Amino acid sequence: MNSNLNHAPWLPPVHRIALPIKNGFAFYDLHGILYFKSAGNYAYMKLAGHLEELFISHPLAKLENELNKVFIRPHNQYLVNINHIEQMIRTSERVELLLTGGIKIPIARNRKG
């Protein structure tokens, strides 16, 4: 299949991602993903409205390359969906992103603005 089809002007933009799981692939709406958290050569994915993180067979660095227009990397361990960032909170000890649902993600010292 030609990958240029995703960029054809007559087709709608792609808002879903296929991610490897234990026994195949699962397809997810990008807007429903809050963040990815690194687990070595794998990652955990947090979906909006779900209590548990889902394990996926994909390293964070590869996800970052594929999703760099919608997700940011505020910390080595996290890749965060910019559509779910509600606030940036600064305290004397740290800086964090507050996401939808009250989830806090740390911002690494070298990434603070």
Side-chain angles (χ1 to χ4, degrees):
M1 181 173 191
N2 186 346
S3 63
N4 289 332
L5 290 177
N6 291 335
H7 303 290
W10 59 87
L11 294 176
V14 177
H15 297 288
R16 294 176 58 86
I17 185 170
L19 295 172
I21 56 174
K22 290 179 186 176
N23 57 354
F25 285 84
F27 295 83
Y28 296 95
D29 179 7
L30 289 179
H31 187 70
I33 302 170
L34 296 175
Y35 65 81
F36 294 96
K37 182 170 67 175
S38 178
N41 288 325
Y42 304 99
Y44 288 96
M45 177 176 62
K46 177 72 170 158
L47 297 172
H50 288 74
L51 295 176
E52 296 182 11
E53 295 174 331
L54 303 173
F55 179 80
I56 58 169
S57 305
H58 222 52
L60 206 58
K62 188 169 183 178
L63 289 166
E64 182 178 19
N65 288 336
E66 294 173 8
L67 302 172
N68 64 3
K69 294 189 191 294
V70 180
F71 288 75
I72 61 169
R73 187 122 182 220
H75 189 279
N76 282 344
Q77 294 292 109
Y78 291 94
L79 192 58
V80 175
N81 187 333
I82 60 174
N83 294 305
H84 287 285
I85 298 173
E86 294 182 351
Q87 292 181 26
M88 184 174 81
I89 302 167
R90 291 182 188 259
T91 66
S92 58
E93 297 91 36
R94 64 182 153 270
V95 179
E96 298 173 318
L97 295 176
L98 180 65
L99 305 184
T100 303
I103 297 169
K104 293 181 181 177
I105 302 292
I107 297 177
R109 291 179 190 185
N110 63 342
R111 297 184 188 238
K112 294 177 186 173

